[in-house]
Amino acid sequence: MTDPDSPRARDVIFGTQQPRIQQRLDRLDPDLGAYIRDFAYDTVYDRPGLDLKSKELIACALLVSLGSPPELRTHIRGAMNAGATEDEVRGALMMCVPYLGFPRTVAAFEVLRQHLNARTDADPSP
Amino acid sequence: MTDPDSPRARDVIFGTQQPRIQQRLDRLDPDLGAYIRDFAYDTVYDRPGLDLKSKELIACALLVSLGSPPELRTHIRGAMNAGATEDEVRGALMMCVPYLGFPRTVAAFEVLRQHLNARTDADPSP
Amino acid sequence: MTDPDSPRARDVIFGTQQPRIQQRLDRLDPDLGAYIRDFAYDTVYDRPGLDLKSKELIACALLVSLGSPPELRTHIRGAMNAGATEDEVRGALMMCVPYLGFPRTVAAFEVLRQHLNARTDADPSP
Amino acid sequence: MTDPDSPRARDVIFGTQQPRIQQRLDRLDPDLGAYIRDFAYDTVYDRPGLDLKSKELIACALLVSLGSPPELRTHIRGAMNAGATEDEVRGALMMCVPYLGFPRTVAAFEVLRQHLNARTDADPSP
Amino acid sequence: MTDPDSPRARDVIFGTQQPRIQQRLDRLDPDLGAYIRDFAYDTVYDRPGLDLKSKELIACALLVSLGSPPELRTHIRGAMNAGATEDEVRGALMMCVPYLGFPRTVAAFEVLRQHLNARTDADPSP
Amino acid sequence: MTDPDSPRARDVIFGTQQPRIQQRLDRLDPDLGAYIRDFAYDTVYDRPGLDLKSKELIACALLVSLGSPPELRTHIRGAMNAGATEDEVRGALMMCVPYLGFPRTVAAFEVLRQHLNARTDADPSP
């Protein structure tokens, strides 16, 4: 059912960090690691019908609703890897204001700030 | 800050139902009605940076997280009014499976089914 | 620890409906009914330190966060029985906008409207 | 990985209602229906390590946390089909009091009451 | 609509920390910072009908429901700045027991303890 | 109503850590500490009808739903003290996948890993 010409969602989202992330999940529980790879990514994420950038912006908003900072940072990076601009990520997080209120949204922008700062520190070129 | 050439988000989302919806909110509480119109729609929704279709797909996912069927139906319609296809709406709701689990997602697809059925009943042409 | 000169919180909140409400809870489960009466009301609610009106306005806000319409109506009535004006109840519900967002708050004002309408219907005097 | 001698969890939980329930889910969305059958039931539920009765009592408690009455009723029936007594179901729901508070728990016992009443109506024998 | 003779809610709640807090929010996102100042505080909080102390006690309870420790500490301080006694803050947090259960409430009292300890350390006078 | 021949739930769950935990709660607020001991444990937990191991596996799942890591670790230990095997705890946490989604479940397995590692460090015997 997935498109053989599209890259896998998890290759785009995780990039070079994929082996490290998968290994961490497998160590927590091998079944859990397999469910996330085979079901969450290779089945649900790779299901056609909506582009990956939109899926990742939605994932970011849902992680704000869950109050899950570490995963939020992973999927802010994933949204940008899938082509989202910083403005689009800010727009996705801002949609949480009318639906979830300010405290959850402020925490999300704090995660965005940390991600952007870390990226700038790693790459000081203009 | 909003783009003067863009239609207002609330005109697109609510279409001809806007006066009825605004009147209902104003009757609940005039301040609440004004906050939703002036802040939620004319300030947050009309903020540039992300297209309206993406905002509405995100709104749908956040309403699944809140378990809010009536608003979900309004914003499924809004997403389609903003250009989302049925497949894209299904894709947005399906993203709730890995983040929120099945019960919330099943309830959301039930709301989608009611919306699609009502639309078919209203317009029996092929 | 409770003040012997104060009326019990549950007498004020439920008024003449108390026997009916307690009977309904006891039928669901006698232990559950006893926990609500003896612990939630006669221990936590009757604990001194904060006036009952404030407790009930807080209860209303917490029920908005839980999305629990039937209990919200009971405690809107309870807040008013404890001396809150309609304006104070509106003020308490409106505080949910910045903390919980609009969908939960709109649902709460709908419950308030139903309560006020039912009261008006029951008492048609000016 | 599943035990070939054990019945499938979904056969026990849904009993004779399984075709009707699966058909309803497939109509909402064929992918969603397949994910629930193949992943939620035939993968996660059929994973060995914990007995089905315990899984269903946990499912009931998680559905109380989600405030999902229709699914709660399905899994109260499922827990009993898997061998739980009425007392054990009451014990599982009562555990929600210290962790989730009273409003969610009262709503859950209301669902239990409806299930027990429907069963009694269907079978008037002693 | 606000009362010109009342101090602004944000002046009372944040006190001397207001410039630092506003600057932090503006750096996260200038629009987000403006929404919180102009909408959350100068519109919703400054809306008449309920006194500021009650609003802040409600804010504390809602932040317990969201599990938001940093904001909870800000609004425990805000409630006290608006005239709430320590006993009243304890009473507001204790109302979370019957509605939200123990884990969220214990986390809230931990935040209160940190706030009271920090205050005592800063001012060792009797 | 409790069984005089059964050990108290809190003696089993907390083991030798009970005095330290109770003292910490009492310092947060003496009433809160008393409510947890006398109501949550000696009334709700000690209520007959469901075995303690099942209660603790349910408690673990509910704490995953609340996103409460410190209490989750306490009750993972409590479930094992009440006789649950590591496989049964993994089975209880895994039930959160279909009901709550992956982020909450991953966080729970991280808490389990920390508990198991700490136990191994404390006891290096095979």
Side-chain angles (χ1 to χ4, degrees):
Chain A
M1 195 159 192
T2 59
D3 180 345
D5 296 331
S6 294
R8 282 183 178 282
R10 59 182 160 91
D11 292 338
V12 176
I13 293 169
F14 297 125
T16 57
Q17 312 235 24
Q18 191 175 178
R20 184 184 61 75
I21 291 172
Q22 187 63 46
Q23 192 177 46
R24 181 189 153 243
L25 294 172
D26 291 343
R27 278 184 186 155
L28 290 181
D29 188 282
D31 286 349
L32 183 68
Y35 296 166
I36 291 173
R37 184 188 60 228
D38 299 342
F39 177 70
Y41 285 105
D42 292 356
T43 303
V44 181
Y45 259 96
D46 281 347
R47 183 178 174 276
L50 185 68
D51 64 287
L52 183 56
K53 186 179 88 174
S54 297
K55 284 175 180 165
E56 279 297 81
L57 293 175
I58 289 168
C60 288
L62 289 173
L63 286 162
V64 179
S65 85
L66 289 172
S68 296
E71 284 94 347
L72 177 56
R73 190 158 168 189
T74 298
H75 290 277
I76 285 175
R77 190 191 300 114
M80 290 179 166
N81 288 348
T85 64
E86 183 184 323
D87 271 3
E88 288 175 319
V89 172
R90 286 184 185 277
L93 300 185
M94 206 64 92
M95 283 301 292
C96 298
V97 166
Y99 292 101
L100 305 177
F102 287 103
R104 287 270 150 90
T105 311
V106 167
F109 274 95
E110 179 62 36
V111 173
L112 173 64
R113 190 190 61 76
Q114 291 169 8
H115 173 65
L116 295 174
N117 284 359
R119 220 175 45 164
T120 308
D121 293 352
D123 175 13
S125 65
Chain B
M1 194 158 193
T2 58
D3 180 345
D5 295 333
S6 294
R8 283 183 178 282
R10 59 182 160 93
D11 292 338
V12 176
I13 292 170
F14 298 125
T16 58
Q17 312 234 25
Q18 188 174 179
R20 184 185 61 75
I21 290 172
Q22 187 63 46
Q23 193 177 46
R24 180 189 153 242
L25 294 171
D26 290 344
R27 279 185 187 155
L28 289 181
D29 188 284
D31 287 349
L32 183 68
Y35 296 167
I36 291 173
R37 185 189 58 228
D38 300 341
F39 177 69
Y41 285 105
D42 293 356
T43 303
V44 181
Y45 259 94
D46 282 347
R47 183 177 176 277
L50 184 69
D51 64 287
L52 183 56
K53 186 179 88 174
S54 297
K55 284 174 181 166
E56 278 297 82
L57 292 175
I58 289 167
C60 288
L62 289 173
L63 286 162
V64 180
S65 85
L66 289 171
S68 295
E71 284 92 350
L72 177 56
R73 189 159 169 189
T74 298
H75 290 278
I76 285 175
R77 191 191 299 116
M80 289 179 166
N81 287 348
T85 64
E86 184 186 321
D87 271 3
E88 288 175 318
V89 172
R90 286 184 185 276
L93 300 185
M94 205 65 92
M95 283 302 292
C96 298
V97 166
Y99 292 101
L100 305 176
F102 287 104
R104 287 270 151 91
T105 312
V106 168
F109 274 94
E110 180 61 38
V111 173
L112 173 64
R113 190 191 60 77
Q114 290 169 9
H115 174 64
L116 295 175
N117 284 0
R119 221 175 44 164
T120 308
D121 292 353
D123 175 12
S125 64
Chain C
M1 198 161 189
T2 58
D3 179 346
D5 295 332
S6 294
R8 283 182 179 280
R10 59 183 160 94
D11 293 338
V12 176
I13 292 170
F14 297 125
T16 58
Q17 312 236 25
Q18 190 174 179
R20 186 186 59 76
I21 291 173
Q22 187 63 45
Q23 191 177 46
R24 181 188 152 244
L25 294 171
D26 290 344
R27 279 183 187 158
L28 290 181
D29 189 283
D31 286 350
L32 183 68
Y35 297 167
I36 292 173
R37 185 189 58 228
D38 299 342
F39 177 69
Y41 285 105
D42 292 356
T43 304
V44 181
Y45 258 95
D46 282 347
R47 183 177 175 275
L50 184 68
D51 63 288
L52 182 57
K53 187 179 86 173
S54 297
K55 285 175 181 166
E56 277 298 80
L57 293 175
I58 289 168
C60 288
L62 289 173
L63 286 162
V64 179
S65 84
L66 290 171
S68 296
E71 282 94 349
L72 177 56
R73 189 158 167 189
T74 298
H75 290 278
I76 285 175
R77 191 191 300 115
M80 289 179 166
N81 287 348
T85 64
E86 184 186 321
D87 271 3
E88 287 174 318
V89 172
R90 287 184 184 276
L93 300 185
M94 205 65 92
M95 282 302 291
C96 297
V97 166
Y99 292 101
L100 306 176
F102 287 103
R104 288 269 151 91
T105 312
V106 168
F109 274 94
E110 180 62 36
V111 173
L112 173 63
R113 190 191 61 76
Q114 289 169 10
H115 173 65
L116 295 174
N117 284 359
R119 219 175 44 165
T120 308
D121 292 352
D123 174 11
S125 64
Chain D
M1 195 160 192
T2 58
D3 179 346
D5 296 332
S6 294
R8 283 184 178 280
R10 58 182 161 93
D11 292 338
V12 176
I13 292 170
F14 297 125
T16 58
Q17 312 236 25
Q18 190 175 180
R20 185 185 61 75
I21 290 172
Q22 187 63 44
Q23 192 177 46
R24 180 188 154 244
L25 294 172
D26 290 344
R27 278 184 187 156
L28 290 180
D29 189 283
D31 287 350
L32 183 68
Y35 297 167
I36 292 173
R37 185 189 58 228
D38 300 342
F39 177 69
Y41 285 105
D42 292 356
T43 304
V44 181
Y45 259 96
D46 282 347
R47 183 178 176 277
L50 184 68
D51 64 288
L52 183 56
K53 186 179 88 173
S54 297
K55 285 174 180 165
E56 278 297 81
L57 292 175
I58 289 168
C60 287
L62 289 173
L63 286 162
V64 179
S65 86
L66 290 171
S68 296
E71 283 93 349
L72 177 56
R73 189 158 169 190
T74 298
H75 290 278
I76 284 174
R77 192 191 299 115
M80 288 178 166
N81 288 347
T85 64
E86 184 186 321
D87 270 3
E88 287 174 319
V89 172
R90 287 183 184 276
L93 299 185
M94 206 64 93
M95 283 302 290
C96 297
V97 165
Y99 291 100
L100 305 176
F102 288 103
R104 287 270 151 90
T105 312
V106 167
F109 274 94
E110 179 62 36
V111 173
L112 173 64
R113 190 191 60 77
Q114 290 169 10
H115 173 65
L116 295 175
N117 284 358
R119 219 174 45 164
T120 308
D121 292 352
D123 175 11
S125 63
Chain E
M1 196 160 191
T2 57
D3 181 344
D5 296 330
S6 295
R8 283 183 179 281
R10 59 182 160 93
D11 293 338
V12 176
I13 293 169
F14 298 124
T16 59
Q17 312 235 23
Q18 189 174 179
R20 185 185 60 74
I21 291 172
Q22 188 62 46
Q23 192 177 45
R24 180 187 154 245
L25 294 172
D26 291 343
R27 279 185 185 155
L28 290 181
D29 188 283
D31 286 350
L32 183 68
Y35 296 167
I36 291 173
R37 184 188 60 227
D38 299 342
F39 176 69
Y41 285 105
D42 293 357
T43 304
V44 181
Y45 258 96
D46 281 348
R47 184 178 175 275
L50 184 68
D51 64 288
L52 182 57
K53 186 179 87 174
S54 297
K55 285 175 180 165
E56 279 297 82
L57 292 175
I58 289 168
C60 288
L62 289 173
L63 286 161
V64 180
S65 84
L66 290 170
S68 296
E71 283 94 349
L72 178 56
R73 187 156 170 191
T74 298
H75 290 278
I76 284 174
R77 191 191 299 115
M80 289 179 166
N81 287 347
T85 64
E86 183 185 322
D87 271 2
E88 287 174 319
V89 172
R90 288 184 183 276
L93 300 185
M94 205 65 92
M95 282 302 291
C96 298
V97 165
Y99 291 101
L100 305 176
F102 287 103
R104 286 270 151 90
T105 312
V106 168
F109 274 94
E110 179 62 36
V111 173
L112 174 63
R113 189 190 61 77
Q114 290 169 9
H115 174 65
L116 295 175
N117 284 359
R119 219 175 45 165
T120 308
D121 292 353
D123 175 12
S125 65
Chain F
M1 196 160 192
T2 57
D3 181 345
D5 295 330
S6 295
R8 283 183 178 281
R10 59 183 161 94
D11 292 338
V12 176
I13 293 170
F14 298 125
T16 58
Q17 311 236 26
Q18 189 174 181
R20 184 186 60 76
I21 291 172
Q22 187 62 46
Q23 190 177 47
R24 180 189 153 243
L25 294 172
D26 290 344
R27 279 183 186 157
L28 290 181
D29 189 283
D31 287 349
L32 183 67
Y35 296 167
I36 292 174
R37 185 189 59 228
D38 299 341
F39 177 69
Y41 286 104
D42 293 356
T43 305
V44 181
Y45 259 95
D46 282 347
R47 185 178 174 275
L50 184 69
D51 65 289
L52 183 57
K53 185 179 87 172
S54 297
K55 284 175 181 167
E56 278 298 80
L57 292 175
I58 289 169
C60 288
L62 289 173
L63 285 162
V64 180
S65 85
L66 289 171
S68 295
E71 283 93 349
L72 177 56
R73 189 158 169 188
T74 299
H75 289 278
I76 285 174
R77 191 191 299 116
M80 289 178 166
N81 288 348
T85 64
E86 184 185 322
D87 271 2
E88 287 174 319
V89 172
R90 287 184 184 276
L93 300 185
M94 206 64 93
M95 283 302 291
C96 297
V97 166
Y99 291 100
L100 305 176
F102 287 103
R104 287 270 151 90
T105 312
V106 168
F109 275 93
E110 179 61 36
V111 173
L112 173 63
R113 189 191 61 76
Q114 290 168 11
H115 173 65
L116 295 175
N117 284 359
R119 220 176 42 165
T120 308
D121 292 352
D123 174 13
S125 64

